[in-house]
Amino acid sequence: MKSLFVFVLTAFFLAAPAANAALNVLTCEPEWAALTQELAGDLAQVSSATTALQDPHRIQARPSLLAKARRADLLICTGAELEMGWLPLLQREAGNARIQPGQPGYFEAARFARIIERPTALDRAQGDVHASGNPHLHLDPRNIARVADGLTKRLADLDPVNGARYAQRNTDFQSRWTAAMARWEQQGARLRGAPVVVHHRNLSYLADWLGLQVIGELEPRPGMEPTAGHLAELLETLKATPARMVLRTAYESPKASEWLASRATIPALELPYTVGGSPGAKDLFGLFDDTLSRLQQSAP
Amino acid sequence: MFHRLLLAAGLAVALASPARAASPDEIAALRAEFESKFQSLQADYEARLKALESRVQTAEIKADNAQQDAAANAGPPPVSSSAFNPDISLILQGAYIDRAGGERPISGFLPADEHAHGERGFTLDHTEVVISANVDPYSRALVNLALADDEVEVEEAWFQTLRLGHGLTVKGGRFRSGIGYQNERHPHAWDFADNSLMYSALFGEALKQDGLQLRWLAPTELFLELGAEVAKGQFFPGSDGGADKNGAGAWAAFAHVGGDVGVAHSWRAGLSYLRASPREREGFLDDINDFEALTAFSGRSSAWLADFVWKWAPDGNPRQRNFIFAAEYFDRDEDGDLLCRDDSAAGGACLGLTDRYASAQSGGYAQAIYQFMPRWRTGLRYDRLDGGSVDFGTNGAFFEAVDFDPSRWSLMTDYSPSEFSRFRLQFARDKSFEGDPDNQVILQYILSIGAHGAHKF
Ligand SMILES: [Zn+2]
C-alpha cells in the first residue's frame, strides 16, 4: 500500500506537461499526424496511435493509447467508421472531456472529404462494409487538401493565439500541394484505365483519382482474409480480362498477392499506403512521390 | 403534379356534373382556362426546377472547391454510436459439452454458485443482449441482459460519465467490477470455453457490483489508472444478508499500470483488493456422511488479486499472427462464524452449531493464446488453486479435512471466419473435484449480430 502511494506521487510529478508545444495532438493514423506537422510545425506535439504497418481497422485501445488520449488536446481521426472497433473505447475510457465526439478537440477528417463507395445496402453477409462509405480517403490527394483546410480552422479554434500562423502555413502547404498534385497527375496519366487487382478496398481513392480500373479484390468480402477458392476464381477471371498488376499496402500480408501475381505473370506491388509505409514515404509528399514512382516502374 | 391532378379532377367533375348540362361555349371556355392555368403552372414548375438545378450545381462546385470548408456540402452524414438509435447487439453462444455429470464443486472451497454441476450435451449456454447509447453529451448507458429459459438476468445496467475530464470517469448502477483482468470480460470474450477455476472459486462467474465506481487515469506517459468501488455487496463473496443495510456491503480498489515495449509489445499489470461482509451466506458442503449440508457464513471476506497481460504482434499488427499471455493470482481470507444447519434427521452430520470459521486460500491461472495464421488461434491454460488452511472450529467434526489442490489443464483451438463469429474446440483434464478427475471436450460457437463491439485490451 505504501509503495502504491509512492507510485501515485511519482506519477503526479511525471505529469508535468511539455511546456513549449502549444497543442498536444494524437492522431488515429499516420497521415493525419503528417498533415498536422505540415500545418502546425512545432506549434503542436504530435503522435500517431498507429503506424503504416498496422491495420487501422484492427487496433486495440491498449494502455499506452489510453494514456496518450488522456493528455491530448486534439484527437484527429479518419472517422466514417474506420476506427469503430477501438476509437469509441479510447474516447470513453480516457477521462478526457476535450476529445469527446462533438467537442472541438475531436476532429473527423471524413467530414471534410469527398466520400466514395457509399453502400446501397447494409448486410454483414457482404463483409465488414462501412455504412458511411469508404473511409480510406487520404489516398486521393484532393481530399488531403480539403481536410487541411478544415484542420487549419480547427487548430485556430483551439489555439487562437497562433491562428494566423496556422493559416499562413496552410496557404504555403496548399500551394506546394497543388503543384505536387499536378506533377503526380502528369506522372499518373499513363496509368489511366490500367486494370488492377487490389488486396482491400483501401486503394479505392487512389484508383479513383488516377483512373485505375479495379477489376478484382483479393479479399472475398471487405475485411475478410483471402481464401484459396476466391484466389483461384480471381485467377480464372484474369485469364479472360488480364490485369496490369496486383496492389497491396504495407500492412497487408504479401502472400495472397504474390500467389496470384506469379500465376498471372504480372507484378505484385506493395504501396506504402500511408506515411511510414516505405523508406520514401517520410511525409505526405514522399507518400505520393513514392506511390507514383512505384506504380510507374511496375507499369511501363 | 398534385396541383395538376386536382385541376384535372376538378375539371372532370365540372364536365361530368349531371346536375347542370354545360353548353359547348362554357366547355370551351373552361378548357381554355384549364390550358392557360396548366401552361402557367408548367412554366412555374420549370422555373423552379431550373432554380433548383442551378442551386445543386453551385453546391457541387462549392463541394469540389478545395478552398471551401467541405463540412456542410461534401462530408458524410455524421455517423457515430451516439446516433438516436441505441447500439444493439445480440450474442449467441452455444456448445456441445462432454463431461462428467452430477454435482462437481471445486473441492475444499465454499461454493460461489448454488449449482456446481455443469451442463452436458447440447446447450444454449449463454444468450446475451447488449443495448447501449449516449444518454446525452454527458453520459452513456448500457444494459446487458443474459437470457435463459424462464428468466432474464440483468448482467449489467449502468451509466458512465463522458465529460468529467481530469481523467475521471464515474460509473453507476450494476456493473462488472474493475478488479483483476478477466472480470470485466463477458463469456463471449473469453479465450476459453469455460471460466478459469480462480474466477469460479472467487465469484462464480465474475464479480458484479451494484453501486458506484470511480476511475482516475493519470496524465502520465506511463498508463496508470486507479479505481475504487462501493457497492451493495449482495453477490458472492457477499450475500443478501450482508447487503441489507445502509452504506456499502462491499468495496473494492484497483490500480493498473501498462505501456508498450517497442512497437510490437504491450502490457498491463494490476493489483486489486476486494472486501465484502457476508451475513448468513448460504453454501452447500459435503459432510462426513457424504450428505450435502447447508452452511451459512457470516463475517468478512477479503481478497487480493494480481494480474498481468502481455501482448505481442509483429510490427504491432495482430492481423496475421499475435500472441497473448495472461496470468492472474488471488489470495483470499475469510474470517467469521459458520452455522452448519441441523440436518441429522435427514441423514446429515451437522448439529446446528455456529462456530468460528477461518480460511486462507489462494490460486490462479496462466494462459497463452497464439494466432498462428489468420482466422486460427490455439491456446493453453493452466489453473491451480491452493486449498490453503480452513478452520471450521467445532464444526470441523462434521467435515473431512481436505488436503487437495484443484488443478486443470485446458487446450483449445478456435477458428473465426470473421470478426463476428468464432468456433472453438477445447479439451480439458479437470482435477478440480477430489478423487474424480475428468476429461472434458467442448465444441462451442460464439456469434454476434448487430452493432460492432469494441476491442478491449
Ligand atoms: Zn476498409
Side-chain angles (χ1 to χ4, degrees):
Chain A
M1 210 59 204
K2 196 178 157 196
S3 58
L4 192 74
F5 180 69
V6 173
F7 195 54
V8 173
L9 220 66
T10 324
F12 265 110
F13 285 113
L14 288 173
N20 42 5
L23 285 176
N24 185 336
V25 181
L26 175 64
T27 70
C28 284
E29 291 85 20
E31 58 269 23
W32 309 129
L35 182 62
T36 311
Q37 245 137 24
E38 296 281 356
L39 300 176
D42 52 12
L43 293 174
Q45 186 195 332
V46 190
S47 67
S48 172
T50 58
T51 74
L53 300 182
Q54 297 169 354
D55 182 344
H57 304 89
R58 311 244 181 120
I59 291 291
Q60 283 189 326
R62 59 183 195 277
S64 66
L65 294 188
L66 284 169
K68 280 180 181 157
R70 160 73 169 93
R71 289 173 292 137
D73 299 307
L74 174 59
L75 175 64
I76 304 174
C77 296
T78 299
E81 298 180 12
L82 177 63
E83 305 98 345
M84 71 185 303
W86 54 283
L87 178 61
L89 208 64
L90 200 64
Q91 286 173 304
R92 288 200 295 264
E93 310 236 312
N96 181 349
R98 299 185 295 271
I99 58 164
Q100 298 306 314
Q103 291 293 94
Y106 175 59
F107 180 90
E108 238 174 40
R111 297 206 181 192
F112 297 85
R114 191 179 64 93
I115 301 297
I116 61 173
E117 292 178 2
R118 287 176 199 257
T120 47
L122 293 174
D123 185 342
R124 288 262 165 76
Q126 297 306 308
D128 196 4
V129 284
H130 301 286
S132 32
N134 190 318
H136 306 280
L137 54 96
H138 70 281
L139 282 180
D140 180 341
R142 295 166 297 187
N143 273 342
I144 296 276
R146 294 183 183 112
V147 175
D149 281 335
L151 185 54
T152 302
K153 277 190 193 134
R154 189 64 65 88
L155 289 167
D157 285 348
L158 289 169
D159 180 20
V161 180
N162 291 310
R165 287 184 65 188
Y166 296 122
Q168 182 242 314
R169 289 190 70 106
N170 183 38
T171 312
D172 174 54
F173 170 74
Q174 294 286 359
S175 70
R176 285 184 293 132
W177 195 251
T178 311
M181 268 202 289
R183 187 175 77 237
W184 295 325
E185 276 164 16
Q186 203 185 355
Q187 285 174 317
R190 283 188 302 144
L191 296 159
R192 197 153 282 279
V196 296
V197 172
V198 298
H199 188 113
H200 176 64
R201 289 190 191 164
N202 50 7
L203 296 173
S204 299
Y205 285 87
L206 185 73
D208 180 63
W209 169 53
L210 293 175
L212 304 175
Q213 209 192 323
V214 179
I215 60 167
E217 291 165 36
L218 300 183
E219 290 179 340
R221 295 271 185 278
M224 305 185 97
E225 294 297 332
T227 59
H230 176 69
L231 291 180
E233 259 175 51
L234 206 53
L235 188 60
E236 280 307 306
T237 322
L238 292 190
K239 280 182 184 149
T241 12
R244 291 263 283 277
M245 51 195 150
V246 185
L247 303 175
R248 68 167 185 277
T249 62
Y251 71 78
E252 284 153 348
S253 161
K255 272 185 207 155
S257 60
E258 267 157 19
W259 184 93
L260 187 71
S262 70
R263 274 159 188 81
T265 54
I266 49 174
L269 185 60
E270 182 180 295
L271 297 177
Y273 178 68
T274 183
V275 176
S278 71
K282 284 192 171 58
D283 57 15
L284 286 169
F285 292 92
L287 166 64
F288 284 95
D289 280 338
D290 193 42
T291 300
L292 265 298
S293 88
R294 280 171 191 240
L295 283 170
Q296 275 184 313
Q297 276 166 24
S298 288
Chain B
M1 190 64 201
F2 184 68
H3 280 95
R4 208 170 125 190
L5 267 177
L6 213 69
L7 212 69
L11 195 70
V13 169
L15 291 179
S17 174
R20 168 184 159 272
S23 72
D25 280 2
E26 271 177 315
I27 292 174
L30 215 60
R31 204 166 254 157
E33 194 189 329
F34 169 71
E35 294 287 315
S36 87
K37 271 196 178 149
F38 179 58
Q39 270 164 14
S40 81
L41 208 71
Q42 213 170 15
D44 181 41
Y45 270 84
E46 256 161 34
R48 278 161 71 182
L49 210 68
K50 276 216 174 89
L52 206 71
E53 265 170 6
S54 83
R55 257 161 64 200
V56 167
Q57 254 170 11
T58 27
E60 269 170 0
I61 290 162
K62 270 188 188 160
D64 248 28
N65 190 341
Q67 297 306 315
Q68 293 287 327
D69 183 337
N73 306 318
V79 173
S80 79
S81 59
S82 59
F84 289 110
N85 293 326
D87 285 344
I88 298 175
S89 59
L90 198 81
I91 290 134
L92 285 78
Q93 181 181 325
Y96 175 79
I97 303 173
D98 185 308
R99 66 178 159 208
E103 299 278 335
R104 291 175 59 89
I106 301 174
S107 300
F109 285 74
L110 279 178
D113 264 335
E114 266 176 62
H115 305 289
H117 75 271
E119 278 199 81
R120 316 201 262 171
F122 290 100
T123 166
L124 261 189
D125 197 13
H126 208 88
T127 309
E128 224 175 83
V129 184
V130 190
I131 302 170
S132 70
N134 288 345
V135 177
D136 52 28
Y138 312 104
S139 67
R140 173 172 175 266
L142 177 144
V143 174
N144 183 312
L145 305 171
L147 309 180
D149 292 327
D150 309 321
E151 64 172 27
V152 176
E153 204 180 319
V154 181
E155 286 277 315
E156 297 195 80
W158 47 256
F159 70 90
Q160 183 185 37
T161 60
L162 296 172
R163 291 205 185 167
L164 284 187
H166 309 288
L168 294 170
T169 307
V170 170
K171 208 185 240 187
R174 175 175 297 175
F175 51 87
R176 284 189 165 225
S177 170
I179 61 170
Y181 171 66
Q182 192 191 281
N183 198 67
E184 281 191 323
R185 302 165 82 91
H186 283 266
H188 59 87
W190 292 350
D191 290 317
F192 289 84
D194 51 7
N195 206 354
S196 61
L197 288 183
M198 167 177 162
Y199 276 81
S200 296
L202 274 177
F203 311 122
E205 184 178 296
L207 179 65
K208 289 185 281 192
Q209 303 266 54
D210 282 11
L212 282 172
Q213 179 194 66
L214 175 71
R215 279 179 194 247
W216 178 69
L217 189 56
T220 49
E221 198 85 36
L222 181 82
F223 169 83
L224 166 65
E225 181 188 55
L226 303 178
E229 295 166 359
V230 283
K232 190 174 178 66
Q234 77 272 42
F235 300 112
F236 193 92
S239 74
D240 282 326
D244 181 19
K245 65 187 245 189
N246 294 318
W251 64 271
F254 51 86
H256 296 132
V257 288
D260 291 344
V261 179
V263 75
H265 307 270
S266 51
W267 62 279
R268 200 193 84 164
L271 193 62
S272 319
Y273 180 75
L274 167 70
R275 175 80 174 253
S277 323
R279 291 282 170 277
E280 292 176 14
R281 184 184 73 198
E282 296 191 338
F284 288 100
L285 271 186
D286 276 355
D287 67 16
I288 42 169
N289 295 353
D290 259 346
F291 182 87
E292 247 189 6
L294 180 62
T295 65
F297 170 77
S298 301
R300 59 157 192 83
S301 173
S302 59
W304 282 96
L305 284 80
D307 62 87
F308 178 71
V309 187
W310 173 62
K311 296 191 179 187
W312 167 86
D315 300 312
N317 183 4
R319 216 168 151 170
Q320 301 296 316
R321 285 181 304 138
N322 66 72
F323 178 82
I324 307 167
F325 173 81
E328 291 190 75
Y329 176 81
F330 79 93
D331 196 321
R332 179 168 70 190
D333 288 334
E334 297 204 312
D335 208 332
D337 294 316
L338 189 85
L339 160 70
C340 189
R341 290 214 201 276
D342 182 1
D343 52 17
S344 49
C350 284
L351 297 172
L353 298 178
T354 300
D355 199 28
R356 181 183 137 79
Y357 170 89
S359 71
Q361 299 181 306
S362 61
Y365 71 89
Q367 65 185 41
I369 313 292
Y370 181 49
Q371 179 179 312
F372 51 96
M373 60 185 283
R375 298 163 188 251
W376 288 93
R377 311 190 312 162
T378 185
L380 185 65
R381 175 179 67 186
Y382 179 59
D383 286 290
R384 188 174 185 86
L385 303 181
D386 181 350
S389 67
V390 180
D391 176 7
F392 282 101
T394 38
N395 278 319
F398 312 126
F399 298 104
E400 244 172 274
V402 179
D403 182 19
F404 177 68
D405 295 333
S407 68
R408 185 176 61 189
W409 281 98
S410 312
L411 176 68
M412 76 88 193
T413 296
D414 61 28
Y415 169 73
S416 309
S418 77
E419 268 188 279
F420 306 96
S421 56
R422 173 166 284 168
F423 300 90
R424 178 180 287 143
L425 179 62
Q426 179 175 318
F427 299 96
R429 173 73 175 162
D430 178 28
K431 290 198 221 167
S432 63
F433 186 58
E434 193 179 10
D436 186 17
D438 186 26
N439 293 325
Q440 303 170 337
V441 184
I442 305 178
L443 188 59
Q444 187 196 29
Y445 64 83
I446 304 168
L447 310 171
S448 85
I449 54 181
H452 194 298
H455 308 181
K456 216 170 162 64
F457 182 78

